[in-house]
Amino acid sequence: GIILTGGGAKLRYIDKMIKRKLGLKVKVASSPEFSVAEGTGRALEHLDILYHDGNMFKAGTIGKEKD
């Protein structure tokens, strides 16, 4: 499933459209803007986890060898 956060999560019926198009369970966070701020704060508290071999983690790069 998906939990929608941020201002875009407040768009009318966006959760229903995503559910219909993707066939996934979709929930809008109870405080979408706050959840983004809270998640960012938690990420900043754990920057050591976001770095690997001195490089910032990027989606899709885990398990890939460097050229």
Side-chain angles (χ1 to χ4, degrees), residues 19-34:
K19 179 180 180 179
R20 187 176 68 244
K21 294 284 185 180
L22 300 179
L24 297 171
K25 291 182 180 181
V26 180
K27 179 181 178 185
V28 175
S30 57
S31 299
E33 295 92 347
F34 177 74

Side-chain angles (χ1 to χ4, degrees), residues 12-64:
R12 184 181 288 176
Y13 305 120
I14 190 73
D15 54 335
K16 291 171 180 52
M17 184 196 72
I18 293 172
K19 179 180 180 179
R20 187 176 68 244
K21 294 284 185 180
L22 300 179
L24 297 171
K25 291 182 180 181
V26 180
K27 179 181 178 185
V28 175
S30 57
S31 299
E33 295 92 347
F34 177 74
S35 61
V36 171
E38 182 179 15
T40 301
R42 288 186 184 190
L44 291 173
E45 290 173 355
H46 301 285
L47 283 177
D48 56 317
I49 296 171
L50 296 175
Y51 281 89
H52 177 69
D53 293 335
N55 297 307
M56 180 68 132
F57 166 77
K58 294 179 184 168
T61 59
I62 297 235
K64 293 185 179 180

